[in-house]
Amino acid sequence: MKELLVDLLGNELLVYVLMAFVPLLWILPFALFAVWWERKIAAHMQDRLGPMRTGGWHGWAQTIADILKLIQKEDIIPTAADRLLFSLAPFVVFIGAYTAFAAIPFSAAYVGTEINIGLFYIIAVSSFVVIGLLMAGWSSNNKWSLFGAMRSAAQVVSYEIPIALTLLAVVMIVGSFDLQEINRAQSGSILNWFIFQKFPLLFAAALIYFVASLAEVNRTPFDIPEAESELVAGYHTEYGGMKFALFFLAEYANMFAVSIIAATVFLGGWNSPFGEALSGPLWGVFWVLSKSMGFVFVQMWLRWTLPRLRVDQLMYVGWKVLIPFSFVIILGVGFWVLLEG
Amino acid sequence: MGRYFKNIFDAVRTILIGMRITARHLFTPSVTIQYPDVKLKLPARARNRLYVNMDDCIGCDQCSMACPVNCITIETIKSTSDVDLGVTSVGSKKRLYVPVFDIDIAKCCYCGLCVYPCPTECIKMTEVFEFSEYERENLIYNFATMTPAEVDDAKRKLAASESTAATKPAPASRGTNS
Amino acid sequence: MEAVAEKPLTIPGFPRPLKNHEMIVNMGPQHPSTHGVLRLELIVDGEVIVDMIPHIGYLHRCFEKHAEYMSNYQQVIPYCDRMDYIAAMSNDLGYAIACETMLGIKVPERVEYIRVIMAELQRIASHLLAIGTFGMDIGAFTPFLYCFRDRERILDLFEQTCGARLLYNYIWIGGLSHDVPPDFAGKVADFCTSFKPTIKELNSLLTHNKIFVERTAHVGVLQADVAVNYGASGPVLRGSGVEWDLRRNDPYSIYDRFEFDIPVGRGEVGTVGDCWDRYIVRVREMEQSLRILEQAIGQIPEGNVQSAIPKRIRPDSADLYVRTETPKGELGYYIVADGTTSPSRVKVRPPTFVNLSILPAMSRGAMIADVIAILGSIDIVLGEVDR
C-alpha cells in the first residue's frame, strides 16, 4: 500500500502525512456514530427512546448537533488553573489514543507503519494517555479533578500489566510482535482464531484482556476516574467546549483502539470467519471493523448494566485476580508451546 | 482460597444475569413517548392552570381567602339598586362588580384549595399546562372583564347613590364604601 | 526534597486543626449525589474520610413559620406536601391524623381504607426512588430508570385520583379531597400483580449483583444501639436489625387490621446494619406494602369521603404530638392550638433530619465512594431535612 502510494505521489514524506490521517477518517465518524449508538443502546436498555428528533431518522444527527454546540462554546480556562498544562492536556490525551492506530492493521494490505514490534509499540504509546489525564487533573486546580487523575493513573498503571501479559501469551505462540504476523497466524478456518486455540487458556486470556481493557479506557465497571456520582466528572470537571470534546473523542478512540486490538489478537483480525470465502483486502477492513464494533457494543452493554467498583476493589481485581490468572495463562501457554515443540 | 474462587465465579455469574436482563430490555418497546408530538390525555381531575369564568363570579372573595400563597387578588364595587348584574349559572344573584380579579399564576401552587369553596363553581383548574412566558409579568392573569370606563361608571354611580343616601336622614352606622 | 515538618494548619472557624496530610474537600451543595442541596465538608486523608461536617439549610423554606401564619388549618396541607416531596401523601396523612385527633373527629371507614391504600402506594413510590437513586450512586444507571418507570405508574394512579402527580393535597382533615375514580381498585390490583416481577428483576439486576454487594456490604455499618441512641427510624433503624415500625408498634389509622411483616436487616451478605441491609429492607417493605394493598383493596366499604370534613376547624387550646410511619421513618407533628382558626405552632420531627445526623458517625474511616453509598442508603430528602 505504502509503496503504491510512493510510486503514485513520488514524495515519501507526503505519503506518510497522508497515511497518518487515514485512521482519523475512520475515528471521527466512528466517535460521532458511537456516541449516538451508545445513547440509543442506553435508552433502549432502559425502556426509553433516546435522541429521536435531530436529523429525522431516530435522531442520527444528534452528536453532530452536540459537536456544533461544543465548538460554539466559550473556551473557559479557570483563573487558578495552570494555563499551559490545562490547554495541552486534551491534546496529549488524544495524541496518546491516536498514535496507537499507526500500528493497527486494518486489512491485509493496509497498516500505517509495518514495524515488527507493533504490539509492543501500541502497549507503550497507550500508556501515554495517563500523562495527559494527570496533566488535566493537576492543572485544573480542582480537588475533584485531582482525585480523578490520581485514580486514573493508579488504574491505568495497574491494568497495563494484565493487558501486556495476556497479549504476551499470544506473542509466545506466534513468535512475533508484528500484528500482521499475528493476523496471518490466524488465517484459514475460524478455529485458527486465537480465542479458540489452546482452549481454555487463550479464551481466558481474551476475557482477562477485555476486562483489563475496560479499565484501561475507564469504562464501567472501572469508570472510577470519572465516576459521575462521586467525583462530579473526574479529571475533566473543569473542561468545556472543544477541549471537553477532545477528551470525549479520545475516550471513544481509545475504546475503539482496545477493541480493534482484541479483535486482531484474539478474533482473527481481518480474517473472514468463513475461511477463504469473503476474504480479501476490502473484506478484511469490513471484518476487522465489525469485530471491533462487536467489542465496543459489549463495552456499552456492560456500562448500562453494572455498578462501578470502589477504588480499592479496583486494585483488588487488578492485582489479585487478573494478574495471577494472567501469569497462570502465560505459564500454561509456555508449557503448551514447549511441549508442541 | 475457596472463597476467592467463589467470589470470582459469583461476579461472573451475576454480571451475566444482569447482562441478560438488559439485553432483554433492548428489545422491549419503550415506555416513553415523544412529548411535544405525542401527548397523553390528562385525567379529568388534572390540576393545572386556573381559569375563572367571570360571568359566574359573584366576587365573594372565598377563593382568595382559601389560597395558602395569596396569589388571588379580588377587588369589588357594590352595585347600586337600579342595576341588575344578572344571575350566575347556578342561580345566585350577582350584587358586586368585580373590576379586579388577578391570579398570579407564577405564585400558584396548584393545590386546588380555591376551587372547593367557590359557591358558583366559577374558578376551576383546567388541563392547560403549557403556558411558559418570557416575562414574569405575563403570568399575572387578569380575568376581570370590566373596561376602565365601566369601572369609573360603577364607582361614580356608587358614590352618587351613597351621597344621596347620606343627604337623607339615614342610620349613622352606614359608612361609606371605598 | 526536604521533609515537611508536621505543623497542623489552623483554619479560622473550623473545629480542629488540619494535619499536613489532610485535605478539606467540599462535597455539595452542587454535587450529583448529595440528593439535593446538602453540603458535606469532608476532611480526607487521600480517599479516606477522617471527619465530616454536614451543612444543611440550603432548602429552608420556613415550613413551621408558614404554618403559623396560615389563616386556617387546611391551608397547611399544601405546605406539608412540600416537606418530603417524594412522599407527599404520607406527610398529609400525618398532619390530617394530628388535626383529627385534636378535634376528635372519627373519619368514615372508606376514608381510612383509601388513606391506607394511598399511603402504601406512596411508600412503594418513595422506596422505588430511594432504591433507584441508591443504585445510581453506586454507578448502576439502568435500575434507576426501571424504578422510575414503575414509580410513574403509581403517580398516574395518584393523578387520576386527585389531579396532581407530586404534591397531592389529597388527604384532608376529616376526609379526602376526592373519592377514588370508579375503576381505582382494579387498577391498583393490576399494579400489584404486574409490579411483583419487577421486584424480582430488580433483585437479579442490582440486589444480588456481585459488584453492588461488594460496594454496599460491610459499608457504613450502623449498630442497633447507635441507631437507637441517635433516634434513627424507618428503614435506617430496621436495617440495623431493630424491629420497630409505628404501623405495628403504635398503630394509627387502621393498620392494625392488616397482616404484614416488618423486614429487618439480618446481615445476609455483610454485617448487620450495613448499606445493603438498609437497601434490602426497602425492597422487602415494598413487597409488604403490596400485601397490605392486596388486603385493603378487597375491603373498601362504600361511603362518603367528605362527610366528616368539618366546616370550620377551630380546636380548643391544646397541644399534641402525633407520629406516623412515613416511608423514611417516624414523622411527628407537634401541634399547639390556641383556640383560633390557625395553629399557634407546628413543630415537625422529620425522619430524614434525624437519620442524616448519623452520617458523620457512619462515614469516619470510610472512603469517598462509601460516603456516597452511605448517604444514598439513608435516603434523605432535603425538602424535609431543611423544611
Side-chain angles (χ1 to χ4, degrees):
Chain A
M1 180 100 178
K2 199 179 81 193
E3 291 73 23
L4 192 84
L5 281 172
V6 172
D7 282 352
L8 210 66
L9 296 166
N11 185 339
E12 207 172 343
L13 193 68
L14 189 67
V15 173
Y16 277 127
V17 172
L18 268 183
M19 287 184 73
F21 276 103
V22 170
L24 204 62
L25 285 183
W26 164 251
I27 291 171
L28 288 178
F30 163 78
L32 286 179
F33 169 73
V35 172
W36 172 76
W37 202 35
E38 170 137 38
R39 292 169 73 167
K40 291 307 266 190
I41 286 173
H44 284 285
M45 279 183 176
Q46 294 161 350
D47 294 351
R48 294 186 288 129
L49 286 166
M52 287 296 279
R53 296 183 77 80
T54 325
W57 185 79
H58 285 263
W60 64 271
Q62 185 61 50
T63 3
I64 297 170
D66 287 345
I67 287 288
L68 287 178
K69 182 201 75 177
L70 285 171
I71 289 174
Q72 290 171 29
K73 275 183 131 176
E74 187 191 349
D75 186 35
I76 297 171
I77 300 178
T79 359
D82 185 327
R83 294 185 73 88
L84 178 68
L85 289 186
F86 189 84
S87 313
L88 210 57
F91 297 98
V92 173
V93 172
F94 182 69
I95 288 168
Y98 188 63
T99 37
F101 284 89
I104 288 173
F106 279 91
S107 143
Y110 176 82
V111 55
T113 336
E114 277 197 56
I115 42 176
N116 53 10
I117 51 161
L119 202 53
F120 182 71
Y121 163 80
I122 289 171
I123 295 170
V125 296
S126 60
S127 31
F128 201 55
V129 173
V130 72
I131 300 173
L133 300 186
L134 269 176
M135 277 163 74
W138 176 258
S139 65
S140 299
N141 206 350
N142 177 329
K143 286 166 186 168
W144 297 116
S145 303
L146 190 61
F147 271 127
M150 287 302 166
R151 285 179 174 194
S152 163
Q155 172 175 336
V156 173
V157 167
S158 316
Y159 277 76
E160 246 154 33
I161 300 165
I163 285 189
L165 289 176
T166 45
L167 294 181
L168 209 58
V170 172
V171 171
M172 277 158 67
I173 296 168
V174 182
S176 166
F177 271 113
D178 191 344
L179 279 163
Q180 288 292 45
E181 203 58 50
I182 292 171
N183 267 329
R184 281 192 281 273
Q186 301 178 75
S187 61
S189 121
I190 188 168
L191 289 174
N192 284 350
W193 293 5
F194 281 130
I195 196 168
F196 302 120
Q197 282 190 23
K198 314 253 186 294
F199 195 83
L201 287 176
L202 284 187
F203 184 80
L207 209 64
I208 289 174
Y209 172 81
F210 182 71
V211 172
S213 73
L214 285 177
E216 179 91 357
V217 298
N218 303 335
R219 297 288 295 184
T220 311
F222 307 109
D223 61 341
I224 58 159
E226 45 198 288
E228 188 221 342
S229 59
E230 295 153 28
L231 299 188
V232 191
Y235 52 83
H236 55 63
T237 305
E238 297 286 350
Y239 282 88
M242 245 357 250
K243 291 195 179 110
F244 173 74
L246 261 182
F247 272 118
F248 224 67
L249 186 65
E251 186 184 325
Y252 277 83
N254 242 333
M255 264 169 77
F256 187 73
V258 296
S259 300
I260 201 169
I261 294 166
T264 308
V265 173
F266 293 106
L267 279 189
W270 37 256
N271 286 301
S272 152
F274 310 110
E276 289 305 306
L278 301 181
S279 61
L282 281 178
W283 275 111
V285 175
F286 169 76
W287 287 123
V288 74
L289 291 187
S290 46
K291 283 168 191 169
S292 0
M293 292 303 270
F295 276 110
V296 171
F297 171 74
V298 180
Q299 286 178 349
M300 293 175 179
W301 187 4
L302 279 170
R303 171 162 181 190
W304 299 108
T305 306
L306 296 180
R308 77 171 70 79
L309 286 163
R310 202 170 56 211
V311 64
D312 57 323
Q313 290 159 350
L314 179 102
M315 290 296 146
Y316 176 91
V317 173
W319 290 98
K320 291 193 177 171
V321 179
L322 297 187
I323 292 179
F325 274 90
S326 320
F327 274 121
V328 170
I329 288 165
I330 287 226
L331 206 66
V333 171
F335 274 114
W336 199 317
V337 171
L338 207 64
L339 291 176
E340 273 180 347
Chain B
M1 199 66 186
R3 206 189 154 92
Y4 171 82
F5 284 107
K6 190 178 177 303
N7 274 343
I8 296 170
F9 174 74
D10 273 354
V12 174
R13 185 179 58 91
T14 52
I15 287 170
L16 289 178
I17 289 173
M19 286 173 80
R20 202 185 64 213
I21 289 172
T22 41
R24 207 166 48 219
H25 276 275
L26 196 53
F27 302 104
T28 47
S30 90
V31 293
T32 54
I33 53 162
Q34 289 292 297
Y35 157 59
D37 304 331
V38 189
K39 285 179 188 168
L40 291 179
K41 193 173 158 16
L42 291 177
R45 293 173 184 177
R47 298 207 311 246
N48 293 302
R49 188 168 71 177
L50 281 167
Y51 173 73
V52 182
N53 181 4
M54 284 310 287
D55 292 344
D56 279 358
C57 180
I58 56 171
C60 67
D61 210 26
Q62 292 213 38
C63 50
S64 168
M65 286 192 293
C67 180
V69 291
N70 297 334
C71 71
I72 305 175
T73 314
I74 299 175
E75 281 174 23
T76 52
I77 303 172
K78 264 191 195 165
S79 64
T80 44
S81 51
D82 56 325
V83 187
D84 182 20
L85 287 172
V87 291
T88 64
S89 53
V90 290
S92 43
K93 192 161 159 41
K94 291 165 80 172
R95 292 174 202 283
L96 298 166
Y97 289 106
V98 187
V100 177
F101 196 119
D102 289 353
I103 296 183
D104 188 348
I105 213 81
K107 272 194 204 167
C108 177
C109 69
Y110 306 96
C111 62
L113 282 179
C114 53
V115 176
Y116 305 100
C118 182
T120 60
E121 294 178 14
C122 73
I123 183 165
K124 51 183 176 276
M125 297 203 122
T126 59
E127 289 189 9
V128 184
F129 58 93
E130 297 152 307
F131 50 91
S132 58
E133 295 279 357
Y134 285 101
E135 300 294 330
R136 189 175 280 190
E137 288 74 40
N138 297 346
L139 284 170
I140 300 175
Y141 286 36
N142 307 309
F143 286 100
T145 48
M146 290 175 80
T147 59
E150 283 173 342
V151 175
D152 286 344
D153 198 37
K155 277 184 181 162
R156 212 171 32 246
K157 270 188 179 170
L158 179 67
S161 78
E162 273 168 1
S163 60
T164 47
T167 50
K168 282 182 197 167
S173 64
R174 198 152 169 201
T176 51
N177 195 314
S178 54
Chain C
M1 209 174 146
E2 63 187 278
V4 185
E6 182 76 18
K7 204 177 98 193
L9 176 70
T10 324
I11 300 164
F14 201 73
R16 66 180 188 77
L18 280 192
K19 296 196 184 102
N20 269 352
H21 54 274
E22 289 172 351
M23 170 165 84
I24 297 178
V25 181
N26 205 14
M27 186 184 269
Q30 316 299 337
H31 187 277
S33 8
T34 50
H35 294 252
V37 283
L38 176 66
R39 176 174 159 231
L40 301 171
E41 216 173 329
L42 307 175
I43 304 163
V44 293
D45 175 3
E47 291 235 5
V48 180
I49 308 291
V50 179
D51 205 350
M52 167 205 280
I53 307 166
H55 295 268
I56 59 167
Y58 291 89
L59 202 61
H60 181 54
R61 290 151 305 164
C62 314
F63 164 78
E64 292 174 7
K65 206 69 192 165
H66 267 306
E68 292 168 26
Y69 277 80
M70 287 296 108
S71 52
N72 60 46
Y73 278 83
Q74 180 65 44
Q75 283 183 340
V76 180
I77 292 184
Y79 286 94
C80 291
D81 280 336
R82 284 159 177 76
M83 283 199 304
D84 180 359
Y85 43 81
I86 304 301
M89 224 38 121
S90 312
N91 298 347
D92 296 356
L93 180 62
Y95 180 77
I97 289 178
C99 290
E100 284 153 13
T101 320
M102 201 152 59
L103 294 162
I105 299 174
K106 177 92 182 73
V107 295
E109 284 281 286
R110 185 177 174 79
V111 173
E112 295 278 26
Y113 274 94
I114 293 172
R115 280 180 178 183
V116 165
I117 291 173
M118 290 301 172
E120 293 311 309
L121 281 174
Q122 184 72 84
R123 192 178 309 274
I124 296 175
S126 169
H127 282 347
L128 274 175
L129 194 128
I131 289 164
T133 50
F134 183 50
M136 199 164 72
D137 290 343
I138 304 293
F141 199 77
T142 303
F144 168 72
L145 283 149
Y146 292 168
C147 289
F148 260 62
R149 178 195 63 199
D150 291 310
R151 180 169 169 267
E152 281 299 302
R153 299 179 52 203
I154 299 178
L155 299 192
D156 283 344
L157 286 173
F158 286 155
E159 192 184 19
Q160 285 158 15
T161 309
C162 67
R165 296 180 73 82
L166 201 64
L167 306 162
Y168 311 107
N169 188 18
Y170 177 65
I171 295 174
W172 283 5
I173 299 164
L176 305 167
S177 75
H178 299 80
D179 200 347
V180 290
D183 50 348
F184 185 75
K187 280 178 181 162
V188 176
D190 281 351
F191 172 78
C192 289
T193 43
S194 62
F195 184 57
K196 277 173 192 161
T198 315
I199 298 183
K200 274 210 190 77
E201 192 180 83
L202 186 74
N203 278 340
S204 41
L205 180 60
L206 187 65
T207 313
H208 297 298
N209 184 295
K210 187 69 185 164
I211 298 176
F212 181 78
V213 170
E214 284 297 319
R215 279 296 306 278
T216 51
H218 303 295
V219 169
V221 177
L222 177 65
Q223 270 91 23
D225 55 337
V226 179
V228 172
N229 285 347
Y230 269 98
S233 54
V236 176
L237 180 66
R238 291 193 282 276
S240 300
V242 182
E243 203 173 318
W244 178 261
D245 189 322
L246 293 175
R247 290 176 293 171
R248 172 71 50 77
N249 297 82
D250 183 11
Y252 55 94
S253 193
I254 49 164
Y255 274 109
D256 45 359
R257 297 185 201 173
F258 301 109
E259 258 180 48
F260 61 99
D261 300 328
I262 301 168
V264 290
R266 290 193 294 269
E268 282 148 79
V269 296
T271 326
V272 178
D274 57 13
C275 289
W276 196 84
D277 274 352
R278 288 191 280 279
Y279 164 87
I280 200 70
V281 162
R282 294 201 176 91
V283 176
R284 292 188 180 141
E285 265 180 30
M286 295 202 298
E287 288 164 359
Q288 297 305 320
S289 291
L290 286 180
R291 264 178 81 187
I292 299 177
L293 282 174
E294 277 165 356
Q295 294 169 49
I297 47 175
Q299 303 172 15
I300 309 179
E302 289 301 311
N304 184 350
V305 296
Q306 298 197 317
S307 60
I309 294 179
K311 279 270 171 308
R312 184 135 174 261
I313 303 167
R314 194 167 183 171
D316 301 330
S317 294
D319 63 325
L320 84 169
Y321 178 79
V322 168
R323 54 185 184 171
T324 52
E325 183 79 22
T326 68
K328 306 202 168 51
E330 176 185 330
L331 173 71
Y333 284 95
Y334 176 66
I335 300 179
V336 180
D338 55 359
T340 61
T341 53
S342 63
S344 161
R345 178 87 171 90
V346 178
K347 166 81 183 91
V348 178
R349 181 233 187 254
T352 53
F353 173 74
V354 181
N355 292 348
L356 181 65
S357 66
I358 321 174
L359 182 65
M362 281 200 274
S363 305
R364 277 181 206 118
M367 303 183 91
I368 289 182
D370 290 336
V371 172
I372 302 294
I374 296 168
L375 188 63
S377 75
I378 294 178
D379 182 24
I380 57 163
V381 170
L382 264 298
E384 192 177 57
V385 173
D386 293 344
R387 280 158 288 147

